[in-house]
Amino acid sequence: MSEPAAPRRRVTKAEQRAEKMEQILDAAEELFSKHGLHGVTLKDVAQRVGAHHTLLNYYFEDKKALFDAVFARRAVVTSQRRMRVLEAYDTECQGRPTVEGALRAFLDTDLDLYIEGGEGWKNYAALGAQVANTPEWGAALMDEHFDPVVLRLIDLLKRALPGCAEADIFWGYHFVTGALMLTLARTGRIDKLSGGVCRSDDFGAVKDRMASFMAAGFLSVCARKEQAT
């Protein structure tokens, strides 16, 4: 005689709310990543999750508040993860960082999330590219969530390049983040230009190349300035 089935645990209201919130954030993330802040309404998000738009008004003051919550959900994950890896790299290199080592701790750690994290993380990547290129309000979000980890990277780069001008290191980071944001946007342009040899969604190919490419740029600029003096 088979054992009676164990009674199913009742889902609490708090768990139901948390599950619904995740559904809302997932739906909003996908829509915002494709259409931007101004191309999506709260009603669009509500329809996607099968809810009345008043539910979203209950949770969020307005559409910008929803957008900020969507962005913050994954921003804290990637920022904290990169900070941990940068700290670990600093310990492992015993105070003697290299440019490529620091860049790999920063870039590869982030790219791994988009390689391993599924479509949700890819949607967030496209969203991040939008935010980084929207000075009216995106800069404040980037400052809030990423300044500490970026400055930790800058600290490592300064120690890896003790003779390099501070301005060159900051410009170098500017070029790094510009390339990263273009990659995360997955525009498809490189697919067309290369005739399919390269794919804009091939984050693994980017990971193999980006840190090495950018490290060479830092070293070249800094060496040129040192020779000039």
Side-chain angles (χ1 to χ4, degrees), residues 34-178:
K34 291 178 170 59
H35 307 294
L37 172 64
H38 300 299
V40 177
T41 66
L42 289 178
K43 187 173 291 187
D44 293 331
V45 179
Q47 289 176 344
R48 180 65 65 94
V49 297
H52 195 274
H53 67 88
T54 55
L55 176 66
L56 272 72
N57 292 121
Y58 175 78
Y59 284 124
F60 302 100
E61 180 180 354
D62 53 26
K63 181 173 64 174
K64 183 59 167 54
L66 171 59
F67 187 98
D68 291 350
V70 168
F71 187 77
R73 178 177 60 155
R74 297 193 201 272
V76 68
V77 175
T78 180
S79 184
Q80 290 180 354
R81 179 168 166 168
R82 281 187 286 184
M83 185 67 85
R84 286 196 301 270
V85 175
L86 286 168
E87 296 285 359
Y89 173 69
D90 195 10
T91 300
E92 290 165 7
C93 73
Q94 298 181 328
R96 295 187 295 274
T98 66
V99 177
E100 184 167 347
L103 289 173
R104 286 206 172 277
F106 183 82
L107 291 170
D108 292 4
T109 305
D110 196 43
L111 289 166
D112 281 341
L113 286 170
Y114 310 122
I115 293 168
E116 302 163 5
E119 198 59 28
W121 272 98
K122 290 184 172 65
N123 289 335
Y124 173 76
L127 194 67
Q130 290 180 27
V131 170
N133 288 282
T134 308
E136 300 85 36
W137 47 263
L141 277 180
M142 299 300 285
D143 293 348
E144 176 185 354
H145 292 289
F146 296 116
D147 274 8
V149 71
V150 169
L151 292 174
R152 189 69 178 90
L153 169 65
I154 295 293
D155 172 66
L156 287 169
L157 291 172
K158 286 180 177 179
R159 285 192 279 130
L161 297 163
C164 192
E166 186 177 48
D168 289 328
I169 291 176
F170 277 101
W171 276 118
Y173 169 74
H174 183 72
F175 303 146
V176 167
T177 195

